[in-house]
Amino acid sequence: MPSKFAHLRLVAASLAVAGVLAFSGCSAVTPASPDASATPTASTEAVDADKVMREFVTAVYANTFATTEAMVAPGSAAAKYVAHQKATDTASKANGDFAQPVAADQPTLEFKDGTATAKYPDGRSFTWTDFEYDDNGLVTSWTTPSGELPSLLWSSDFSGAIAGNTVTLTSAYKTNGGEMHAVLTVTAGSAGIDFMMPYQAQFVASDGIAYAAQSFSAPRQSLPAGVTGYVVLAFPQAPFGGTIYLEGYNVGTPDVWKAEIPVV
């Protein structure tokens, strides 16, 4: 589900999000004869699953969120992935960093034996495999080049106060290309936020190694009291799990605050 920002050029394969066609669902199986079982055969189930996978992946790379939201099982890793991609898209548009995808830069999607591969003009390619579904045919998970989907998504919500402001972890995801992306929601307190410094943000992994934000998207102006803004941060090759440090200062004071946002 590709999203691009003026400051943040996220890997297209992660938002393609990396990076969402109407969900037709699994078609009914007509018995071959009055004595045939109404239960689909293994080959029929495979065909239906392949159809769902094709429609879902195509919708993901097209950023058709109404479709992807309808095709994932509630509460599943797939649903959290779609939520992250939608949050990233919403943030980039709010910050004025969204740009329509250039057709020449878009990947070609190839489907074979239950796998989906996105091949980019620059030679990069990413393959998703091992798609899983619930009893209703809704997508629950898959495996990416970075690992199994559940292990690549945030598992705990967080919201904390800093200098009268509220900072919330909206979502986080480790992309196909190995970047750790996080979407933060920042709501200014009674003083208002004069300035945030996402370009100085750091991610300290659980092993104690610090990673600098390579790219970001954030509000370009101050946040008045009670106003909410989005901050998107990308940390290349950072392992999943750790703490994000985001700095800023409020209106009327030179004192810098530093928010600590756990990503687990």
Side-chain angles (χ1 to χ4, degrees), residues 17 80-81 83-85 87-88 149-157 169-175 179-184 203 233 235 240-241 244 261-264:
V17 275
K80 294 185 70 173
Y81 169 84
H84 169 75
Q85 301 300 330
T88 303
L149 187 61
S151 67
L152 307 177
L153 294 158
W154 81 109
S155 59
S156 297
D157 295 328
L169 174 66
T170 301
S171 63
Y173 171 65
K174 188 173 178 66
T175 71
E179 291 186 330
M180 201 285 285
H181 290 172
V183 180
L184 309 177
F203 174 73
L233 301 167
F235 301 93
F240 199 81
I244 292 174
I261 304 101
V263 181
V264 294

PDB file of all heavy atoms in Angstrom, residues 17 80-81 83-85 87-88 149-157 169-175 179-184 203 233 235 240-241 244 261-264:
ATOM      1  N   VAL A  17       3.528   1.120   3.139  1.00  0.00           N
ATOM      2  CA  VAL A  17       3.091   1.324   3.206  1.00  0.00           C
ATOM      3  C   VAL A  17       3.048   1.375   3.244  1.00  0.00           C
ATOM      4  O   VAL A  17       4.041   2.301   3.869  1.00  0.00           O
ATOM      5  CB  VAL A  17       3.724   1.675   4.485  1.00  0.00           C
ATOM      6  CG1 VAL A  17       3.723   0.888   5.429  1.00  0.00           C
ATOM      7  CG2 VAL A  17       4.095   1.546   4.795  1.00  0.00           C
ATOM      8  N   LYS A  80      -4.341  -5.999  11.951  1.00  0.00           N
ATOM      9  CA  LYS A  80      -3.429  -4.999  12.506  1.00  0.00           C
ATOM     10  C   LYS A  80      -2.529  -4.423  11.413  1.00  0.00           C
ATOM     11  O   LYS A  80      -2.223  -3.220  11.424  1.00  0.00           O
ATOM     12  CB  LYS A  80      -2.582  -5.621  13.623  1.00  0.00           C
ATOM     13  CG  LYS A  80      -3.380  -6.024  14.847  1.00  0.00           C
ATOM     14  CD  LYS A  80      -2.492  -6.528  15.970  1.00  0.00           C
ATOM     15  CE  LYS A  80      -1.674  -5.406  16.575  1.00  0.00           C
ATOM     16  NZ  LYS A  80      -0.923  -5.840  17.780  1.00  0.00           N
ATOM     17  N   TYR A  81      -2.116  -5.271  10.489  1.00  0.00           N
ATOM     18  CA  TYR A  81      -1.304  -4.796   9.373  1.00  0.00           C
ATOM     19  C   TYR A  81      -2.068  -3.747   8.565  1.00  0.00           C
ATOM     20  O   TYR A  81      -1.538  -2.677   8.247  1.00  0.00           O
ATOM     21  CB  TYR A  81      -0.913  -5.968   8.472  1.00  0.00           C
ATOM     22  CG  TYR A  81      -0.297  -5.540   7.161  1.00  0.00           C
ATOM     23  CD1 TYR A  81       1.059  -5.242   7.075  1.00  0.00           C
ATOM     24  CD2 TYR A  81      -1.072  -5.424   6.008  1.00  0.00           C
ATOM     25  CE1 TYR A  81       1.627  -4.833   5.872  1.00  0.00           C
ATOM     26  CE2 TYR A  81      -0.516  -5.010   4.801  1.00  0.00           C
ATOM     27  CZ  TYR A  81       0.826  -4.725   4.736  1.00  0.00           C
ATOM     28  OH  TYR A  81       1.381  -4.311   3.547  1.00  0.00           O
ATOM     29  N   ALA A  83      -4.532  -1.932   9.565  1.00  0.00           N
ATOM     30  CA  ALA A  83      -4.695  -0.741  10.412  1.00  0.00           C
ATOM     31  C   ALA A  83      -3.438   0.125  10.368  1.00  0.00           C
ATOM     32  O   ALA A  83      -3.514   1.362  10.320  1.00  0.00           O
ATOM     33  CB  ALA A  83      -5.000  -1.155  11.846  1.00  0.00           C
ATOM     34  N   HIS A  84      -2.262  -0.510  10.385  1.00  0.00           N
ATOM     35  CA  HIS A  84      -1.012   0.248  10.323  1.00  0.00           C
ATOM     36  C   HIS A  84      -0.866   0.965   8.987  1.00  0.00           C
ATOM     37  O   HIS A  84      -0.500   2.150   8.939  1.00  0.00           O
ATOM     38  CB  HIS A  84       0.180  -0.681  10.534  1.00  0.00           C
ATOM     39  CG  HIS A  84       1.499  -0.029  10.234  1.00  0.00           C
ATOM     40  ND1 HIS A  84       2.076   0.892  11.078  1.00  0.00           N
ATOM     41  CD2 HIS A  84       2.334  -0.130   9.160  1.00  0.00           C
ATOM     42  CE1 HIS A  84       3.215   1.328  10.556  1.00  0.00           C
ATOM     43  NE2 HIS A  84       3.386   0.725   9.386  1.00  0.00           N
ATOM     44  N   GLN A  85      -1.156   0.264   7.898  1.00  0.00           N
ATOM     45  CA  GLN A  85      -1.023   0.877   6.595  1.00  0.00           C
ATOM     46  C   GLN A  85      -1.999   2.048   6.430  1.00  0.00           C
ATOM     47  O   GLN A  85      -1.659   3.082   5.856  1.00  0.00           O
ATOM     48  CB  GLN A  85      -1.253  -0.166   5.496  1.00  0.00           C
ATOM     49  CG  GLN A  85      -0.290  -1.344   5.538  1.00  0.00           C
ATOM     50  CD  GLN A  85       1.164  -0.920   5.397  1.00  0.00           C
ATOM     51  OE1 GLN A  85       1.455   0.079   4.754  1.00  0.00           O
ATOM     52  NE2 GLN A  85       2.073  -1.663   5.989  1.00  0.00           N
ATOM     53  N   ALA A  87      -3.198   3.885   8.901  1.00  0.00           N
ATOM     54  CA  ALA A  87      -2.724   4.968   9.768  1.00  0.00           C
ATOM     55  C   ALA A  87      -1.587   5.732   9.103  1.00  0.00           C
ATOM     56  O   ALA A  87      -1.516   6.966   9.182  1.00  0.00           O
ATOM     57  CB  ALA A  87      -2.263   4.401  11.109  1.00  0.00           C
ATOM     58  N   THR A  88      -0.693   5.017   8.433  1.00  0.00           N
ATOM     59  CA  THR A  88       0.415   5.664   7.738  1.00  0.00           C
ATOM     60  C   THR A  88      -0.098   6.550   6.608  1.00  0.00           C
ATOM     61  O   THR A  88       0.369   7.683   6.414  1.00  0.00           O
ATOM     62  CB  THR A  88       1.381   4.605   7.170  1.00  0.00           C
ATOM     63  OG1 THR A  88       1.853   3.777   8.231  1.00  0.00           O
ATOM     64  CG2 THR A  88       2.568   5.259   6.489  1.00  0.00           C
ATOM     65  N   LEU A 149       4.126 -12.579   9.976  1.00  0.00           N
ATOM     66  CA  LEU A 149       3.473 -11.299  10.226  1.00  0.00           C
ATOM     67  C   LEU A 149       3.258 -10.964  11.702  1.00  0.00           C
ATOM     68  O   LEU A 149       3.540  -9.834  12.117  1.00  0.00           O
ATOM     69  CB  LEU A 149       2.135 -11.253   9.482  1.00  0.00           C
ATOM     70  CG  LEU A 149       1.408  -9.905   9.500  1.00  0.00           C
ATOM     71  CD1 LEU A 149       2.243  -8.821   8.833  1.00  0.00           C
ATOM     72  CD2 LEU A 149       0.047 -10.028   8.808  1.00  0.00           C
ATOM     73  N   PRO A 150       2.764 -11.896  12.543  1.00  0.00           N
ATOM     74  CA  PRO A 150       2.523 -11.518  13.944  1.00  0.00           C
ATOM     75  C   PRO A 150       3.762 -10.982  14.652  1.00  0.00           C
ATOM     76  O   PRO A 150       3.649 -10.102  15.517  1.00  0.00           O
ATOM     77  CB  PRO A 150       2.037 -12.828  14.580  1.00  0.00           C
ATOM     78  CG  PRO A 150       1.423 -13.580  13.444  1.00  0.00           C
ATOM     79  CD  PRO A 150       2.305 -13.280  12.265  1.00  0.00           C
ATOM     80  N   SER A 151       4.943 -11.485  14.270  1.00  0.00           N
ATOM     81  CA  SER A 151       6.171 -11.053  14.935  1.00  0.00           C
ATOM     82  C   SER A 151       6.673  -9.707  14.438  1.00  0.00           C
ATOM     83  O   SER A 151       7.628  -9.146  14.994  1.00  0.00           O
ATOM     84  CB  SER A 151       7.278 -12.095  14.732  1.00  0.00           C
ATOM     85  OG  SER A 151       7.674 -12.154  13.361  1.00  0.00           O
ATOM     86  N   LEU A 152       6.031  -9.152  13.411  1.00  0.00           N
ATOM     87  CA  LEU A 152       6.477  -7.900  12.812  1.00  0.00           C
ATOM     88  C   LEU A 152       5.594  -6.720  13.182  1.00  0.00           C
ATOM     89  O   LEU A 152       5.823  -5.598  12.719  1.00  0.00           O
ATOM     90  CB  LEU A 152       6.506  -8.039  11.285  1.00  0.00           C
ATOM     91  CG  LEU A 152       7.287  -9.233  10.735  1.00  0.00           C
ATOM     92  CD1 LEU A 152       7.166  -9.289   9.222  1.00  0.00           C
ATOM     93  CD2 LEU A 152       8.749  -9.165  11.158  1.00  0.00           C
ATOM     94  N   LEU A 153       4.593  -6.962  14.034  1.00  0.00           N
ATOM     95  CA  LEU A 153       3.627  -5.934  14.409  1.00  0.00           C
ATOM     96  C   LEU A 153       3.695  -5.631  15.901  1.00  0.00           C
ATOM     97  O   LEU A 153       4.083  -6.499  16.697  1.00  0.00           O
ATOM     98  CB  LEU A 153       2.216  -6.393  14.058  1.00  0.00           C
ATOM     99  CG  LEU A 153       1.913  -6.560  12.576  1.00  0.00           C
ATOM    100  CD1 LEU A 153       0.727  -7.498  12.381  1.00  0.00           C
ATOM    101  CD2 LEU A 153       1.636  -5.208  11.932  1.00  0.00           C
ATOM    102  N   TRP A 154       3.317  -4.407  16.255  1.00  0.00           N
ATOM    103  CA  TRP A 154       3.290  -4.062  17.672  1.00  0.00           C
ATOM    104  C   TRP A 154       2.278  -4.943  18.392  1.00  0.00           C
ATOM    105  O   TRP A 154       1.245  -5.316  17.844  1.00  0.00           O
ATOM    106  CB  TRP A 154       2.963  -2.585  17.840  1.00  0.00           C
ATOM    107  CG  TRP A 154       1.506  -2.223  17.759  1.00  0.00           C
ATOM    108  CD1 TRP A 154       0.709  -1.824  18.783  1.00  0.00           C
ATOM    109  CD2 TRP A 154       0.650  -2.201  16.594  1.00  0.00           C
ATOM    110  NE1 TRP A 154      -0.566  -1.563  18.353  1.00  0.00           N
ATOM    111  CE2 TRP A 154      -0.635  -1.785  17.014  1.00  0.00           C
ATOM    112  CE3 TRP A 154       0.842  -2.505  15.254  1.00  0.00           C
ATOM    113  CZ2 TRP A 154      -1.699  -1.658  16.129  1.00  0.00           C
ATOM    114  CZ3 TRP A 154      -0.219  -2.384  14.376  1.00  0.00           C
ATOM    115  CH2 TRP A 154      -1.462  -1.971  14.817  1.00  0.00           C
ATOM    116  N   SER A 155       2.589  -5.318  19.628  1.00  0.00           N
ATOM    117  CA  SER A 155       1.709  -6.211  20.373  1.00  0.00           C
ATOM    118  C   SER A 155       1.077  -5.542  21.579  1.00  0.00           C
ATOM    119  O   SER A 155       0.132  -6.082  22.165  1.00  0.00           O
ATOM    120  CB  SER A 155       2.479  -7.461  20.835  1.00  0.00           C
ATOM    121  OG  SER A 155       3.578  -7.102  21.654  1.00  0.00           O
ATOM    122  N   SER A 156       1.601  -4.374  21.960  1.00  0.00           N
ATOM    123  CA  SER A 156       1.059  -3.670  23.128  1.00  0.00           C
ATOM    124  C   SER A 156       0.794  -2.212  22.785  1.00  0.00           C
ATOM    125  O   SER A 156       1.642  -1.538  22.186  1.00  0.00           O
ATOM    126  CB  SER A 156       2.041  -3.733  24.308  1.00  0.00           C
ATOM    127  OG  SER A 156       2.243  -5.065  24.728  1.00  0.00           O
ATOM    128  N   ASP A 157      -0.374  -1.729  23.182  1.00  0.00           N
ATOM    129  CA  ASP A 157      -0.689  -0.320  22.983  1.00  0.00           C
ATOM    130  C   ASP A 157       0.014   0.521  24.046  1.00  0.00           C
ATOM    131  O   ASP A 157       0.337   0.030  25.129  1.00  0.00           O
ATOM    132  CB  ASP A 157      -2.200  -0.092  23.069  1.00  0.00           C
ATOM    133  CG  ASP A 157      -2.948  -0.787  21.936  1.00  0.00           C
ATOM    134  OD1 ASP A 157      -2.372  -0.903  20.840  1.00  0.00           O
ATOM    135  OD2 ASP A 157      -4.095  -1.214  22.160  1.00  0.00           O
ATOM    136  N   LEU A 169       1.317   5.482  20.847  1.00  0.00           N
ATOM    137  CA  LEU A 169       1.769   4.605  19.766  1.00  0.00           C
ATOM    138  C   LEU A 169       0.526   4.116  19.032  1.00  0.00           C
ATOM    139  O   LEU A 169      -0.273   3.358  19.571  1.00  0.00           O
ATOM    140  CB  LEU A 169       2.552   3.415  20.321  1.00  0.00           C
ATOM    141  CG  LEU A 169       2.958   2.362  19.275  1.00  0.00           C
ATOM    142  CD1 LEU A 169       3.965   2.940  18.287  1.00  0.00           C
ATOM    143  CD2 LEU A 169       3.537   1.120  19.966  1.00  0.00           C
ATOM    144  N   THR A 170       0.354   4.572  17.795  1.00  0.00           N
ATOM    145  CA  THR A 170      -0.807   4.173  17.003  1.00  0.00           C
ATOM    146  C   THR A 170      -0.575   2.820  16.361  1.00  0.00           C
ATOM    147  O   THR A 170      -1.458   1.952  16.374  1.00  0.00           O
ATOM    148  CB  THR A 170      -1.097   5.222  15.909  1.00  0.00           C
ATOM    149  OG1 THR A 170      -1.346   6.482  16.548  1.00  0.00           O
ATOM    150  CG2 THR A 170      -2.301   4.829  15.076  1.00  0.00           C
ATOM    151  N   SER A 171       0.617   2.606  15.808  1.00  0.00           N
ATOM    152  CA  SER A 171       0.947   1.323  15.185  1.00  0.00           C
ATOM    153  C   SER A 171       2.435   1.256  14.911  1.00  0.00           C
ATOM    154  O   SER A 171       3.129   2.283  14.915  1.00  0.00           O
ATOM    155  CB  SER A 171       0.170   1.139  13.872  1.00  0.00           C
ATOM    156  OG  SER A 171       0.546   2.130  12.922  1.00  0.00           O
ATOM    157  N   ALA A 172       2.917   0.043  14.657  1.00  0.00           N
ATOM    158  CA  ALA A 172       4.321  -0.150  14.295  1.00  0.00           C
ATOM    159  C   ALA A 172       4.437  -1.449  13.511  1.00  0.00           C
ATOM    160  O   ALA A 172       3.698  -2.406  13.751  1.00  0.00           O
ATOM    161  CB  ALA A 172       5.214  -0.196  15.537  1.00  0.00           C
ATOM    162  N   TYR A 173       5.398  -1.483  12.585  1.00  0.00           N
ATOM    163  CA  TYR A 173       5.530  -2.628  11.686  1.00  0.00           C
ATOM    164  C   TYR A 173       6.949  -2.686  11.129  1.00  0.00           C
ATOM    165  O   TYR A 173       7.542  -1.656  10.824  1.00  0.00           O
ATOM    166  CB  TYR A 173       4.525  -2.473  10.532  1.00  0.00           C
ATOM    167  CG  TYR A 173       4.675  -3.454   9.395  1.00  0.00           C
ATOM    168  CD1 TYR A 173       4.455  -4.816   9.573  1.00  0.00           C
ATOM    169  CD2 TYR A 173       5.009  -3.006   8.114  1.00  0.00           C
ATOM    170  CE1 TYR A 173       4.570  -5.711   8.518  1.00  0.00           C
ATOM    171  CE2 TYR A 173       5.131  -3.903   7.050  1.00  0.00           C
ATOM    172  CZ  TYR A 173       4.906  -5.250   7.256  1.00  0.00           C
ATOM    173  OH  TYR A 173       5.018  -6.144   6.213  1.00  0.00           O
ATOM    174  N   LYS A 174       7.489  -3.891  11.020  1.00  0.00           N
ATOM    175  CA  LYS A 174       8.793  -4.092  10.381  1.00  0.00           C
ATOM    176  C   LYS A 174       8.531  -4.491   8.938  1.00  0.00           C
ATOM    177  O   LYS A 174       7.896  -5.510   8.667  1.00  0.00           O
ATOM    178  CB  LYS A 174       9.610  -5.159  11.095  1.00  0.00           C
ATOM    179  CG  LYS A 174      11.051  -5.273  10.595  1.00  0.00           C
ATOM    180  CD  LYS A 174      11.847  -6.241  11.458  1.00  0.00           C
ATOM    181  CE  LYS A 174      13.279  -6.413  10.941  1.00  0.00           C
ATOM    182  NZ  LYS A 174      14.070  -5.182  11.049  1.00  0.00           N
ATOM    183  N   THR A 175       9.027  -3.698   8.006  1.00  0.00           N
ATOM    184  CA  THR A 175       8.660  -3.833   6.600  1.00  0.00           C
ATOM    185  C   THR A 175       9.370  -4.974   5.882  1.00  0.00           C
ATOM    186  O   THR A 175      10.306  -5.593   6.403  1.00  0.00           O
ATOM    187  CB  THR A 175       8.984  -2.534   5.846  1.00  0.00           C
ATOM    188  OG1 THR A 175      10.417  -2.410   5.733  1.00  0.00           O
ATOM    189  CG2 THR A 175       8.431  -1.324   6.575  1.00  0.00           C
ATOM    190  N   GLU A 179      12.953  -2.238   7.457  1.00  0.00           N
ATOM    191  CA  GLU A 179      12.814  -1.012   8.247  1.00  0.00           C
ATOM    192  C   GLU A 179      11.754  -1.185   9.321  1.00  0.00           C
ATOM    193  O   GLU A 179      10.775  -1.898   9.128  1.00  0.00           O
ATOM    194  CB  GLU A 179      12.420   0.165   7.364  1.00  0.00           C
ATOM    195  CG  GLU A 179      13.502   0.625   6.416  1.00  0.00           C
ATOM    196  CD  GLU A 179      13.098   1.889   5.678  1.00  0.00           C
ATOM    197  OE1 GLU A 179      11.894   2.087   5.447  1.00  0.00           O
ATOM    198  OE2 GLU A 179      13.990   2.680   5.341  1.00  0.00           O
ATOM    199  N   MET A 180      11.958  -0.515  10.459  1.00  0.00           N
ATOM    200  CA  MET A 180      10.934  -0.477  11.496  1.00  0.00           C
ATOM    201  C   MET A 180      10.229   0.866  11.366  1.00  0.00           C
ATOM    202  O   MET A 180      10.841   1.925  11.509  1.00  0.00           O
ATOM    203  CB  MET A 180      11.553  -0.625  12.888  1.00  0.00           C
ATOM    204  CG  MET A 180      10.560  -1.091  13.957  1.00  0.00           C
ATOM    205  SD  MET A 180       9.417   0.205  14.504  1.00  0.00           S
ATOM    206  CE  MET A 180      10.518   1.178  15.531  1.00  0.00           C
ATOM    207  N   HIS A 181       8.940   0.823  11.059  1.00  0.00           N
ATOM    208  CA  HIS A 181       8.134   2.037  10.907  1.00  0.00           C
ATOM    209  C   HIS A 181       7.173   2.161  12.078  1.00  0.00           C
ATOM    210  O   HIS A 181       6.587   1.162  12.505  1.00  0.00           O
ATOM    211  CB  HIS A 181       7.320   1.999   9.615  1.00  0.00           C
ATOM    212  CG  HIS A 181       8.143   2.118   8.374  1.00  0.00           C
ATOM    213  ND1 HIS A 181       7.628   1.939   7.115  1.00  0.00           N
ATOM    214  CD2 HIS A 181       9.460   2.416   8.199  1.00  0.00           C
ATOM    215  CE1 HIS A 181       8.579   2.111   6.211  1.00  0.00           C
ATOM    216  NE2 HIS A 181       9.694   2.400   6.853  1.00  0.00           N
ATOM    217  N   ALA A 182       6.997   3.375  12.575  1.00  0.00           N
ATOM    218  CA  ALA A 182       6.060   3.610  13.671  1.00  0.00           C
ATOM    219  C   ALA A 182       5.233   4.852  13.386  1.00  0.00           C
ATOM    220  O   ALA A 182       5.741   5.847  12.855  1.00  0.00           O
ATOM    221  CB  ALA A 182       6.808   3.781  14.994  1.00  0.00           C
ATOM    222  N   VAL A 183       3.953   4.776  13.750  1.00  0.00           N
ATOM    223  CA  VAL A 183       3.053   5.923  13.637  1.00  0.00           C
ATOM    224  C   VAL A 183       2.687   6.363  15.054  1.00  0.00           C
ATOM    225  O   VAL A 183       2.180   5.555  15.840  1.00  0.00           O
ATOM    226  CB  VAL A 183       1.774   5.570  12.860  1.00  0.00           C
ATOM    227  CG1 VAL A 183       0.861   6.794  12.759  1.00  0.00           C
ATOM    228  CG2 VAL A 183       2.112   5.052  11.461  1.00  0.00           C
ATOM    229  N   LEU A 184       2.970   7.613  15.382  1.00  0.00           N
ATOM    230  CA  LEU A 184       2.665   8.162  16.693  1.00  0.00           C
ATOM    231  C   LEU A 184       1.585   9.228  16.557  1.00  0.00           C
ATOM    232  O   LEU A 184       1.545   9.963  15.568  1.00  0.00           O
ATOM    233  CB  LEU A 184       3.910   8.799  17.327  1.00  0.00           C
ATOM    234  CG  LEU A 184       5.185   7.952  17.375  1.00  0.00           C
ATOM    235  CD1 LEU A 184       6.330   8.773  17.972  1.00  0.00           C
ATOM    236  CD2 LEU A 184       4.965   6.679  18.181  1.00  0.00           C
ATOM    237  N   PHE A 203      15.562   5.247  17.971  1.00  0.00           N
ATOM    238  CA  PHE A 203      14.937   4.001  18.393  1.00  0.00           C
ATOM    239  C   PHE A 203      16.016   3.169  19.054  1.00  0.00           C
ATOM    240  O   PHE A 203      17.034   2.841  18.429  1.00  0.00           O
ATOM    241  CB  PHE A 203      14.357   3.246  17.190  1.00  0.00           C
ATOM    242  CG  PHE A 203      13.812   1.882  17.532  1.00  0.00           C
ATOM    243  CD1 PHE A 203      12.617   1.755  18.232  1.00  0.00           C
ATOM    244  CD2 PHE A 203      14.486   0.738  17.162  1.00  0.00           C
ATOM    245  CE1 PHE A 203      12.112   0.503  18.555  1.00  0.00           C
ATOM    246  CE2 PHE A 203      13.987  -0.520  17.466  1.00  0.00           C
ATOM    247  CZ  PHE A 203      12.797  -0.636  18.167  1.00  0.00           C
ATOM    248  N   LEU A 233       7.796   7.641  11.747  1.00  0.00           N
ATOM    249  CA  LEU A 233       9.248   7.504  11.813  1.00  0.00           C
ATOM    250  C   LEU A 233       9.686   6.201  11.159  1.00  0.00           C
ATOM    251  O   LEU A 233       9.019   5.172  11.305  1.00  0.00           O
ATOM    252  CB  LEU A 233       9.720   7.528  13.265  1.00  0.00           C
ATOM    253  CG  LEU A 233       9.382   8.795  14.066  1.00  0.00           C
ATOM    254  CD1 LEU A 233       9.626   8.554  15.554  1.00  0.00           C
ATOM    255  CD2 LEU A 233      10.197   9.980  13.565  1.00  0.00           C
ATOM    256  N   PHE A 235      13.062   3.660  10.831  1.00  0.00           N
ATOM    257  CA  PHE A 235      14.388   3.316  11.346  1.00  0.00           C
ATOM    258  C   PHE A 235      14.923   2.140  10.537  1.00  0.00           C
ATOM    259  O   PHE A 235      14.470   1.005  10.716  1.00  0.00           O
ATOM    260  CB  PHE A 235      14.311   2.959  12.832  1.00  0.00           C
ATOM    261  CG  PHE A 235      13.763   4.056  13.698  1.00  0.00           C
ATOM    262  CD1 PHE A 235      12.407   4.111  13.995  1.00  0.00           C
ATOM    263  CD2 PHE A 235      14.603   5.031  14.205  1.00  0.00           C
ATOM    264  CE1 PHE A 235      11.891   5.117  14.798  1.00  0.00           C
ATOM    265  CE2 PHE A 235      14.091   6.057  15.012  1.00  0.00           C
ATOM    266  CZ  PHE A 235      12.743   6.100  15.303  1.00  0.00           C
ATOM    267  N   PHE A 240      12.826  -5.405  15.601  1.00  0.00           N
ATOM    268  CA  PHE A 240      11.546  -5.013  16.177  1.00  0.00           C
ATOM    269  C   PHE A 240      11.587  -5.164  17.693  1.00  0.00           C
ATOM    270  O   PHE A 240      12.125  -6.126  18.222  1.00  0.00           O
ATOM    271  CB  PHE A 240      10.418  -5.863  15.602  1.00  0.00           C
ATOM    272  CG  PHE A 240       9.061  -5.247  15.794  1.00  0.00           C
ATOM    273  CD1 PHE A 240       8.611  -4.266  14.937  1.00  0.00           C
ATOM    274  CD2 PHE A 240       8.247  -5.625  16.844  1.00  0.00           C
ATOM    275  CE1 PHE A 240       7.378  -3.674  15.108  1.00  0.00           C
ATOM    276  CE2 PHE A 240       7.012  -5.050  17.031  1.00  0.00           C
ATOM    277  CZ  PHE A 240       6.575  -4.068  16.162  1.00  0.00           C
ATOM    278  N   GLY A 241      11.019  -4.183  18.386  1.00  0.00           N
ATOM    279  CA  GLY A 241      10.990  -4.220  19.846  1.00  0.00           C
ATOM    280  C   GLY A 241      12.025  -3.289  20.444  1.00  0.00           C
ATOM    281  O   GLY A 241      13.228  -3.436  20.183  1.00  0.00           O
ATOM    282  N   ILE A 244      11.141   4.199  21.373  1.00  0.00           N
ATOM    283  CA  ILE A 244      11.337   5.386  20.536  1.00  0.00           C
ATOM    284  C   ILE A 244      11.479   6.608  21.441  1.00  0.00           C
ATOM    285  O   ILE A 244      10.728   6.774  22.399  1.00  0.00           O
ATOM    286  CB  ILE A 244      10.146   5.596  19.584  1.00  0.00           C
ATOM    287  CG1 ILE A 244      10.101   4.483  18.545  1.00  0.00           C
ATOM    288  CG2 ILE A 244      10.231   6.955  18.893  1.00  0.00           C
ATOM    289  CD1 ILE A 244       8.873   4.530  17.655  1.00  0.00           C
ATOM    290  N   ILE A 261       8.581   6.109  24.059  1.00  0.00           N
ATOM    291  CA  ILE A 261       7.440   5.306  23.602  1.00  0.00           C
ATOM    292  C   ILE A 261       7.892   3.867  23.377  1.00  0.00           C
ATOM    293  O   ILE A 261       8.632   3.578  22.425  1.00  0.00           O
ATOM    294  CB  ILE A 261       6.871   5.884  22.279  1.00  0.00           C
ATOM    295  CG1 ILE A 261       6.500   7.366  22.443  1.00  0.00           C
ATOM    296  CG2 ILE A 261       5.653   5.075  21.835  1.00  0.00           C
ATOM    297  CD1 ILE A 261       7.523   8.317  21.879  1.00  0.00           C
ATOM    298  N   PRO A 262       7.492   2.944  24.223  1.00  0.00           N
ATOM    299  CA  PRO A 262       7.880   1.541  24.038  1.00  0.00           C
ATOM    300  C   PRO A 262       7.167   0.937  22.832  1.00  0.00           C
ATOM    301  O   PRO A 262       5.991   1.183  22.589  1.00  0.00           O
ATOM    302  CB  PRO A 262       7.406   0.874  25.346  1.00  0.00           C
ATOM    303  CG  PRO A 262       6.323   1.743  25.849  1.00  0.00           C
ATOM    304  CD  PRO A 262       6.669   3.139  25.448  1.00  0.00           C
ATOM    305  N   VAL A 263       7.912   0.156  22.066  1.00  0.00           N
ATOM    306  CA  VAL A 263       7.372  -0.542  20.901  1.00  0.00           C
ATOM    307  C   VAL A 263       7.627  -2.038  21.105  1.00  0.00           C
ATOM    308  O   VAL A 263       8.742  -2.521  20.927  1.00  0.00           O
ATOM    309  CB  VAL A 263       8.038  -0.071  19.593  1.00  0.00           C
ATOM    310  CG1 VAL A 263       7.433  -0.809  18.394  1.00  0.00           C
ATOM    311  CG2 VAL A 263       7.877   1.426  19.427  1.00  0.00           C
ATOM    312  N   VAL A 264       6.602  -2.751  21.527  1.00  0.00           N
ATOM    313  CA  VAL A 264       6.730  -4.180  21.777  1.00  0.00           C
ATOM    314  C   VAL A 264       5.547  -4.921  21.174  1.00  0.00           C
ATOM    315  O   VAL A 264       4.542  -4.319  20.817  1.00  0.00           O
ATOM    316  CB  VAL A 264       6.810  -4.487  23.283  1.00  0.00           C
ATOM    317  CG1 VAL A 264       8.081  -3.935  23.869  1.00  0.00           C
ATOM    318  CG2 VAL A 264       5.598  -3.919  24.014  1.00  0.00           C
TER     319      VAL A 264
END
